[in-house]
Amino acid sequence: MATEIIMPKVDMVMETGTLMEWKKNEGDTVTKGEPLFVIMTDKAAIEAEAPESGILAGITAKPDDVIPVTTVIGYILAPGESLPEKAAAPAAAVAPAEAKPETPAAAAAPKAATAAPAGDASQVRATPLARSLAREMNVDLTQVAGRGPRGRVHKADVLEFAASHKAAPAMASVSAPATNVAVPLPDARIRQRISLKGPRSIIAQRLSYSWSSVPHIYETLSVDMSEVVRLRERVSPAIANATGQKVSYTAILAHAVARILSNHPGLNSSFNGDEIIQWEDVHLGLATSLEDYLIVPVIREAQNKNLQSVVVEMARLLEAARAKRLQPNEMSGSTFTITNLGMFGIEQFTAIINPPESAILAVGKMMDTPVVVDGQVVVRPMMTLTLAVDHRVSDGAAAAKFLVDLKNALENPYLLL
Amino acid sequence: MSTEENKREITYLEAVREAMSQEMRRDPEVFLIGEDVGVYGGAFGVSKGMLEEFGEWRVIDTPISEAAIAGATTGSAMMGMRPIMELMFMDFVTIAMDQLVNQAAKMRFMFGGKVSLPFVVRAPAGSGTGAAAQHCGSQEAWFISTPGIKVVAPSTAYDAKGLLVSSIRDNNPVMFMEHKLLYRTKDIVPEELYEIPLGKAKVTREGKDLTIIAYSIMAVRALEAAEQLAQEGIDVEVVDLRTLKPLDVDTIVESVSKTGRALVVHEAPITGGFGGEIVARIAASEAFDRLDAPIMRLAGKDTPIPYNRILERATVPQVEDIVAKARELATEGK
């Protein structure tokens, strides 16, 4: 039987996905599990794998189409098999990714005819129990991501969705858009218009909220990295032997932050309406620049990981990020973020807190710098750390104590043992 | 009853013999008829010693003719006796089919209820003994689809005794399936006579993640599979049907409504097997709205039972097959 290829629902709140590219062409032989197409969600580009082995056929979606989740966008056929009859229908993009003024009629007409009824729960694959629960709990099944075969929604999906949306009111204020202010555009020739979508749109939304609503305090200090340099030289060969991975300064810094944060719960917390939630786990986000956007892979429960585990996990996450294979839960849910621009030569900078976190650490370049030690001018590898904290949650003194603890740990990293 | 008696353990085979003997002592109309049931004590030794106790008028050895055994059984039942006929192997029922299906099953209806046929067909069924295709059948589906015949398939010695007593006392033809691999299994069985009502399933293990519906030896294997799955944190409920017709739909529906997932297991071939009927009953019931996964079946392959022991084993569900299937079904979408 022809296997349907659907727009996957990779995230709880995902309603549509933008098709970026097909990795295979119509008529190509594909193997189950190999990369088939790339989609863009609100968070990131994600590669989708072939659900079955066979011949790719009946492709109905093209790059830049915005397609409702679970819509069939193609088929995988067994040799000699032909397309199911209804597959002849054209793509079911809800809306053109960008208005194409040159062919407005062509873009609109066929879509209206075949558009999968977005919002029609009867078209969602769901178990009878999931359906009856959704009715009882007033959950819209079209909003629920299914974890079963072909995206089938099970009881657990509905319960999880309902639970996550109970917490929604507090989060709702987080995503409240800033007021639009009309500012005249300059009178200049346009090079390119880039529609705001995917991660860029999320970045714009979240950070505008943070910048305009969260009162930031900034504190900076310099750290003498001599001992970290020494430590890295000592442990690198052993860890490289064991894991095949190089030990980066960021890994050591991440390890130190995770350990020190456990003693500073105020900085590992979230402002949530009328309460502050202090997190037991340190889910450490590492801001990572990727071509044209920013993602934050997350080391979960970093407080429980030793340096070697941090190195391994970072390598895994960064590789997945570059290959666009990060799962949504690997790039969300962080409780604290580290952002490092040292590799670009930036000596010091301030970062904007990534809500709902309440602090972010901006790391500058490590530079040999003349400093005064015991009345003598000596050269030391110095690095600046700039911490931003949410003043609603913590005060300047609390932030200072954390920074000083972190500085002491980095200047005497053996204390981390 | 003393505690000592309470704990008496006997085999399934002994429980069947005890039920027959006690009923024959109680009711002079009950008798046993079949091939080698007398002097030889039955092909599996079930009726050993009964000839000595009851004599050759009540423990009747017959020629090798299942048609004759079934005909004598049907006729004597119509005349008011309560025969128990033994088929040496359930497969041989094909020879007795006209008497059982076309005569006995229809008689009461065709005579407007003026005649009843209180008899039991005891049928050693099932594979696992290396006895090849003609001695390993599980033909329950034929009789389940024959109105007028009840079908019983106990999995324990305790159930075998109580259900056989009820079957002998029932006023309709009853096909009583005894799995050959269960004959040597032991259970605590009270010495006195007791009845287990026909048409009542039993929840033999309570669980919350998945219901396995099974009968005969598969009810035993399902329990073993459930214990293994419990080690993995999968909590399986097992429903032992005990009687296949009339079917206890209420117990099945109640259990599946609770767990939201159902796996039906039987030894007979899957296509046209009783499992399909159970699945349909669940799908049409109020349990439908509580289903959190497709209803699944695990049953024998669509082939006669092979002689080769490895192939024989592979043809019908084993404990590891039930474990694998139940695990897959219990974890889907969780």
Side-chain angles (χ1 to χ4, degrees):
Chain A
M1 207 181 77
T3 303
E4 295 173 349
I5 300 166
I6 59 169
M7 171 59 67
K9 190 166 185 172
V10 294
D11 185 14
M12 203 54 103
V13 294
M14 177 175 169
E15 286 175 39
T16 60
T18 308
L19 185 76
M20 302 299 286
E21 61 165 322
W22 286 97
K23 294 273 190 188
K24 298 280 176 179
N25 297 316
E26 179 106 17
D28 281 358
T29 300
V30 300
T31 309
K32 184 175 178 176
E34 79 174 313
L36 189 59
F37 58 96
V38 180
I39 59 163
M40 180 68 86
T41 71
D42 285 345
K43 293 209 177 81
I46 289 181
E47 215 168 59
E49 297 175 346
E52 197 48 73
S53 296
I55 296 153
L56 180 59
I59 291 179
T60 55
K62 57 187 186 310
D64 275 348
D65 278 354
V66 179
I67 297 158
V69 292
T70 73
T71 303
V72 177
I73 56 173
Y75 291 87
I76 293 179
L77 304 180
E81 193 177 31
S82 56
L83 280 174
E85 264 175 40
K86 60 178 180 180
V94 264
E98 276 179 84
K100 293 187 181 95
E102 58 278 15
T103 56
K111 277 158 193 155
T114 59
D120 180 354
S122 72
Q123 297 305 304
V124 176
R125 284 182 203 277
T127 67
L129 178 56
R131 282 190 193 286
S132 52
L133 275 178
R135 276 195 300 273
E136 284 161 25
M137 303 173 80
N138 240 343
V139 166
D140 177 3
L141 273 180
T142 61
Q143 303 295 310
V144 182
R147 69 190 70 193
R150 299 180 185 197
R152 186 202 295 140
V153 176
H154 287 257
K155 167 185 160 188
D157 299 310
V158 175
L159 294 180
E160 203 171 89
F161 181 89
S164 72
H165 282 68
K166 211 180 277 171
M171 302 304 291
S173 63
V174 168
S175 58
T179 317
N180 279 326
V181 181
V183 183
L185 290 168
D187 176 21
R189 288 179 299 154
I190 291 174
R191 176 173 181 161
Q192 190 188 359
R193 278 176 187 272
I194 300 165
S195 67
L196 202 55
K197 64 185 179 191
R200 180 53 53 197
S201 140
I202 294 289
I203 291 168
Q205 200 182 23
R206 295 259 178 89
L207 296 184
S208 310
Y209 158 76
S210 180
W211 187 241
S212 58
S213 309
V214 177
H216 285 59
I217 318 173
Y218 286 104
E219 294 179 6
T220 302
L221 50 65
S222 293
V223 180
D224 180 345
M225 294 290 280
S226 306
E227 291 301 324
V228 170
V229 171
R230 227 166 264 138
L231 171 85
R232 177 166 170 269
E233 280 166 5
R234 293 298 291 270
V235 301
S236 275
I239 291 182
N241 254 341
T243 67
Q245 302 295 342
K246 282 196 280 192
V247 179
S248 64
Y249 288 112
T250 310
I252 298 173
L253 187 63
H255 178 54
V257 166
R259 284 287 162 87
I260 302 296
L261 259 186
S262 297
N263 301 325
H264 297 270
L267 273 69
N268 190 51
S269 58
S270 293
F271 187 82
N272 184 40
D274 53 0
E275 60 174 0
I276 292 164
I277 305 172
Q278 296 191 345
W279 303 108
E280 179 70 34
D281 289 324
V282 177
H283 292 336
L284 196 58
L286 299 169
T288 305
S289 178
L290 213 65
E291 292 169 16
D292 53 348
Y293 60 94
L294 175 75
I295 58 168
V296 185
V298 181
I299 303 177
R300 296 202 174 256
E301 296 182 34
Q303 81 277 14
N304 294 329
K305 292 192 160 55
N306 61 21
L307 179 58
Q308 182 166 322
S309 313
V310 169
V311 167
V312 170
E313 181 68 356
M314 268 180 64
R316 186 185 73 77
L317 289 169
L318 292 178
E319 198 197 326
R322 277 185 215 111
K324 298 181 176 170
R325 287 224 179 95
L326 272 184
Q327 296 301 306
N329 66 357
E330 291 173 329
M331 48 182 151
S332 60
S334 50
T335 60
F336 184 98
T337 296
I338 296 177
T339 173
N340 187 347
L341 293 176
M343 64 290 259
F344 297 108
I346 300 300
E347 296 168 19
Q348 183 196 336
F349 70 106
T350 57
I352 302 172
I353 294 167
N354 180 25
E357 295 168 21
S358 65
I360 186 167
L361 185 69
V363 182
K365 183 187 172 162
M366 189 167 76
M367 288 185 304
D368 284 342
T369 310
V371 292
V372 178
V373 177
D374 298 335
Q376 300 290 316
V377 176
V378 293
V379 174
R380 290 285 170 85
M382 300 300 288
M383 189 173 82
T384 62
L385 298 177
T386 303
L387 180 71
V389 300
D390 180 345
H391 210 331
R392 298 172 305 179
V393 178
S394 295
D395 302 326
K401 281 178 188 156
F402 167 76
L403 264 187
V404 169
D405 275 4
L406 182 60
K407 175 184 163 78
N408 288 339
L410 292 170
E411 293 186 345
N412 191 358
Y414 308 98
L415 290 174
L416 290 169
L417 290 176
Chain B
M1 195 188 343
S2 76
T3 332
E4 213 38 45
E5 280 171 319
N6 252 339
K7 294 213 163 114
R8 186 192 62 148
E9 267 203 350
I10 60 172
T11 63
Y12 187 101
L13 180 155
E14 288 163 341
V16 171
R17 180 194 302 146
E18 188 166 275
M20 289 195 293
S21 299
Q22 289 181 338
E23 280 297 278
M24 283 170 73
R25 280 173 213 142
R26 192 188 61 82
D27 182 350
E29 302 298 341
V30 180
F31 70 95
L32 174 66
I33 181 169
E35 292 158 10
D36 278 339
V37 296
V39 178
Y40 188 63
F44 298 94
V46 175
S47 51
K48 201 169 155 201
M50 288 179 67
L51 176 69
E52 288 78 359
E53 180 179 352
F54 298 103
E56 58 187 11
W57 286 99
R58 297 186 71 193
V59 178
I60 304 170
D61 271 328
T62 69
I64 305 179
S65 171
E66 284 75 15
I69 302 168
T73 297
T74 302
S76 59
M78 286 175 75
M79 298 312 292
M81 299 191 76
R82 292 187 172 268
I84 303 165
M85 67 169 269
E86 181 181 297
L87 284 166
M88 191 180 278
F89 290 92
M90 189 174 193
D91 306 75
F92 303 166
V93 79
T94 47
I95 311 294
M97 271 320 230
D98 181 65
Q99 289 299 328
L100 296 180
V101 174
N102 208 25
Q103 309 299 331
K106 297 174 180 173
M107 214 56 85
R108 183 170 179 186
F109 298 86
M110 294 180 74
F111 284 91
K114 285 180 184 153
V115 63
S116 61
L117 291 92
F119 71 81
V120 179
V121 183
R122 285 188 37 248
S127 67
T129 58
Q134 293 169 320
H135 304 80
C136 289
S138 303
Q139 286 91 354
E140 63 269 26
W142 295 349
F143 298 96
I144 288 165
S145 64
T146 299
I149 297 184
K150 296 182 179 179
V151 183
V152 179
S155 72
T156 67
Y158 176 85
D159 285 350
K161 180 172 176 182
L163 286 167
L164 184 51
V165 169
S166 295
S167 299
I168 293 168
R169 294 178 186 179
D170 196 275
N171 280 339
N172 300 282
V174 176
M175 176 58 72
F176 192 87
M177 297 173 66
E178 300 163 10
H179 200 288
K180 297 189 279 287
L181 292 184
L182 293 175
Y183 273 145
R184 305 283 165 193
T185 60
K186 285 194 167 182
D187 195 12
I188 295 166
V189 180
E191 217 166 330
E192 77 274 10
L193 271 172
Y194 59 94
E195 283 185 74
I196 294 174
L198 302 187
K200 284 273 176 227
K202 185 175 173 188
V203 177
T204 52
R205 187 185 195 283
E206 290 195 15
K208 60 175 177 25
D209 293 334
L210 165 77
T211 300
I212 298 182
I213 299 139
Y215 52 92
S216 189
I217 194 163
M218 292 304 156
V220 177
R221 290 184 183 163
L223 275 179
E224 222 179 303
E227 290 309 319
Q228 287 187 26
L229 287 164
Q231 309 292 318
E232 305 174 16
I234 297 172
D235 192 11
V236 175
E237 177 146 315
V238 178
V239 174
D240 181 352
L241 293 179
R242 307 198 291 187
T243 302
L244 312 189
K245 194 181 184 185
L247 180 63
D248 184 356
V249 178
D250 290 348
T251 298
I252 299 172
V253 168
E254 193 183 322
S255 174
V256 176
S257 297
K258 182 177 80 171
T259 63
R261 287 159 202 251
L263 173 65
V264 184
V265 185
H266 60 63
E267 172 167 349
I270 190 161
T271 304
F274 187 41
E277 176 67 24
I278 298 171
V279 170
R281 295 292 185 103
I282 296 169
S285 77
E286 69 212 44
F288 176 80
D289 279 325
R290 309 254 63 97
L291 285 173
D292 202 26
I295 315 166
M296 302 298 282
R297 287 182 296 168
L298 182 65
K301 298 195 166 48
D302 286 325
T303 173
I305 301 293
Y307 173 63
N308 175 294
R309 295 302 285 263
I310 293 165
L311 295 178
E312 178 186 37
R313 201 172 181 282
T315 301
V316 302
Q318 305 295 334
V319 173
E320 63 267 24
D321 303 320
I322 302 174
V323 167
K325 190 78 175 174
R327 182 193 293 127
E328 180 192 330
L329 182 56
T331 53
E332 186 174 293
K334 278 214 174 158

